[in-house]
Amino acid sequence: MEPRPAPMSWYAWGDPARATPLSDRLRGLVAQVLGAELRDLPPVAEADVRMPASALPPDAHAALAAVVGAAHVRTDPAARLRHAGGRSTVDLLRRRSGDAEDAPDAVVLPADHDGVLAVLAACAAHGVAVVPFGGGTSVVGGVEPLRGRFGAVVALDLRRLDRLVEFDAESGTAVLQAGLRTPDADALLAGHGHTLGHLPQSYEYATIGGYAATRSSGQASSGYGRFEDMVLALRVATPRGTLALGGAPGSAAGPDLRRLFLGSEGVFGVVTEVTVRVRPLPDARHDEAWSFPDLPAGAASLRRLARLPGPPTTVRLSDATETFVNAALAGADRADPPGGAAPPPAGCLAVVGFDGTAADVSARRAAAGAVLAAAGGTPLGTGPVADWRHTRFRGPYLRDALLAAGVLSETLETATTWSRLLPLYEAVGGAVRGALEGPEGGVLVLCHVSHTYPEGASLYFTVVAPAGADPVARWRRAKRAAGDAIAAHGATITHHHAVGTDHLPWMPAEVGPLGAEVLRAVKSALDPAGVLNPGKLIPPAGD
């Protein structure tokens, strides 16, 4: 894995030192494909960002300082700006334009579980909203510092909760604090010869608590499982007190209350510790790429792979457009080969990877290869996968470079059953194109199958279009069209990005009126003052 990156930029993804503008060649290629003249959108200077004075009342400030120490209640503009939201395109557009009007009034940094409890109690007593904040990687408004009905809001930054509390080699479990970023968690586990096996694109910055709170799913979920499947136990701080949930490998002691907090997005409580299942570091790894003539053939092969007794650790299938675009991007900054440009790739690229013991990898590779070949796949070797792994965590930097050049580049995802997958693919792509194509230019809609299950799979779309005169309105129009198409086809509104604010309009359809009432009842029981992460996850009464 690459070295741990520096703190995130305030207006873009990731380490500012790793940001790279579009080359002239790539800029020209994008303009040609979109049929639009690109218009630069540079960020304002940090000193020119618009931010109101902190509205945190003096008595609330004093109460919080008494809990965590004065140095850990920060009201300076730099700290507030860096907690003014997540990393969606809309978030970044606002900050690039100098708009931090909704920045939190303070950033509070407790040191441990008891500190989190005390912060929640103080905020409930003083009527201050609290937004739990891990890595700040949400792309759906999950950490937007909304005040709700309160006069002030604080960001509850968990970065000081960064320890490996316990490692149990005999049981194959580890207790991790919620503020641990994944590279640090993996480094600590590697010292014991183990790994978490969780590799989302947010890997470098996202935190253990964030994964639990959003039901995260990583690129190796076919082999290691979704994050929620790794969780054995949780420790949660709520305004009403502590909940310690789970611990046994299986239980019939009533409903599993862990599930209330896996995906709860900090609305019911703050996850402070997670007991997870860990795996030994793999002895062997093998990657290979396959090509399929079209998406239906590739999807059929993935369905069969998902039903194998030992599926691949990693499975991914790009549609023809994404396959072509990724190859074009990879070659855009390379010198042409002596014999001229390489022919464009045809069909759909599938990536499969295997981790484990040498014998296990060999057996699973043989079984998967037989399935892929029988489904019409053509083996391409390891090269395409090496390129993908090399650039895996650089995708968000490309999005920033496109945004700086006046190009919207954003993602959305969903999941459904196999029988509905291809109709859903066509419907979402058509809805997005219908919302964005027009006088301002064309639109590219790329898609890949990112996670597979015996019953179905997820679809992950990337949308690229000219920003236009009002890029926020353009993206919201596209998002609304896509969300409506997803709901109309009975698919989930989010597979792993979570709900936040962006997906809230579709939650009534997702859980139904009675389900929404249940969520509100849980909220009332655990957070009677309503201070935790207002405006997220739970449909308002009457929706």
Side-chain angles (χ1 to χ4, degrees):
M1 195 59 60
E2 296 183 6
R4 188 180 193 271
M8 277 215 207
S9 164
W10 61 268
Y11 64 85
W13 176 271
D15 181 355
R18 293 170 62 184
T20 304
L22 293 183
S23 67
D24 290 341
R25 187 176 181 184
L26 185 52
R27 185 183 177 104
L29 177 63
V30 171
Q32 179 182 1
V33 169
L34 296 181
E37 183 176 348
L38 304 189
R39 177 176 59 87
D40 288 345
L41 293 173
V44 304
E46 184 171 354
D48 295 330
V49 172
R50 303 180 302 278
M51 183 187 303
S54 172
L56 186 66
D59 57 345
H61 190 292
L64 291 169
V67 168
V68 300
H72 299 300
V73 181
R74 297 188 56 180
T75 57
D76 57 286
R80 294 171 61 206
L81 176 60
R82 284 157 179 80
H83 293 77
R87 290 300 185 279
S88 72
T89 291
V90 171
D91 292 329
L92 300 183
L93 283 166
R94 286 174 180 164
R95 295 203 284 276
R96 294 179 75 90
S97 71
D99 180 4
E101 297 288 344
D102 293 330
D105 297 293
V107 179
V108 184
L109 299 99
D112 53 26
H113 174 87
D114 288 343
V116 175
L117 275 177
V119 167
L120 297 184
C123 287
H126 291 274
V128 174
V130 183
V131 177
F133 195 98
T137 61
S138 173
V139 292
V140 293
V143 293
E144 189 171 346
L146 300 180
R147 287 161 174 76
R149 64 178 185 272
F150 304 101
V153 58
V154 300
L156 179 64
D157 191 317
L158 299 172
R159 71 178 70 180
R160 297 174 69 199
L161 281 72
D162 61 355
R163 293 191 302 114
L164 169 59
V165 178
E166 178 185 320
F167 177 79
D168 183 343
E170 186 174 2
S171 302
T173 63
V175 181
L176 305 173
Q177 287 189 316
L180 262 177
R181 277 166 49 172
T182 341
D184 298 327
D186 269 342
L188 290 166
L189 292 171
H192 297 276
H194 282 67
T195 183
L196 191 60
H198 195 63
L199 292 165
Q201 195 168 45
S202 59
Y203 174 92
E204 296 171 306
Y205 289 95
T207 62
I208 298 301
Y211 291 146
T214 59
R215 297 172 71 186
S216 174
S217 192
Q219 71 188 40
S221 64
S222 294
Y224 289 96
R226 292 168 61 93
F227 191 81
E228 65 196 90
D229 301 324
M230 304 176 185
V231 174
L232 193 71
L234 293 171
R235 193 179 189 201
V236 185
T238 82
R240 294 282 306 279
T242 295
L243 283 168
L245 303 171
S251 173
D256 187 352
L257 293 183
R258 290 174 303 175
R259 296 286 169 174
L260 283 176
F261 296 93
L262 292 168
S264 63
E265 303 184 33
V267 168
F268 301 147
V270 180
V271 174
T272 60
E273 287 182 2
V274 185
T275 303
V276 291
R277 179 195 68 220
V278 294
R279 303 282 185 87
L281 287 166
D283 298 325
R285 168 180 285 172
H286 176 79
D287 294 326
E288 55 192 49
W290 292 70
S291 179
F292 288 89
D294 52 39
L295 192 64
S301 73
L302 264 60
R303 184 181 71 246
R304 294 168 191 156
L305 283 184
R307 293 172 180 171
L308 288 174
T313 307
T314 300
V315 180
R316 182 185 179 104
L317 172 70
S318 294
D319 70 1
T321 304
E322 184 171 278
T323 298
F324 183 91
V325 168
N326 284 346
L329 290 174
D333 289 321
R334 299 173 185 167
D336 288 336
C348 300
L349 179 71
V351 166
V352 293
F354 307 87
D355 289 4
T357 65
D360 176 61
V361 166
S362 178
R364 288 192 292 141
R365 177 190 173 195
V371 167
L372 294 167
T378 302
L380 301 178
T382 62
V385 192
D387 288 343
W388 172 67
R389 286 197 183 274
H390 180 66
T391 60
R392 171 66 175 143
F393 300 119
R394 298 180 184 176
Y397 292 97
L398 175 59
R399 179 189 66 162
D400 290 339
L402 288 167
L403 192 58
V407 178
L408 288 175
S409 177
E410 187 57 292
T411 62
L412 57 94
E413 38 74 59
T414 180
T416 191
T417 54
W418 287 113
S419 62
R420 297 178 177 181
L421 193 73
L422 294 176
L424 178 65
Y425 164 79
E426 296 290 348
V428 174
V432 171
R433 283 186 286 270
L436 289 177
E437 285 177 340
E440 291 172 305
V443 57
L444 273 175
V445 181
L446 293 65
C447 185
H448 63 263
V449 178
S450 61
H451 305 82
T452 60
Y453 307 88
E455 307 81 14
S458 67
L459 293 173
Y460 192 98
F461 294 87
T462 300
V463 181
V464 182
D470 190 345
V472 171
R474 272 173 62 75
W475 173 248
R476 284 181 170 160
R477 186 165 68 246
K479 181 72 172 180
R480 168 62 73 173
D484 287 346
I486 288 168
H489 281 72
T492 181
I493 194 59
T494 175
H495 172 260
H496 58 270
H497 281 172
V499 178
T501 57
D502 288 12
H503 294 139
L504 195 56
W506 295 278
M507 276 298 283
E510 186 85 18
V511 302
L514 184 56
E517 187 176 336
V518 170
L519 293 177
R520 288 192 291 271
V522 173
K523 172 75 167 175
S524 178
L526 295 173
D527 178 23
V531 296
L532 277 168
N533 217 5
K536 320 292 169 52
L537 181 67
I538 303 176
D543 280 11

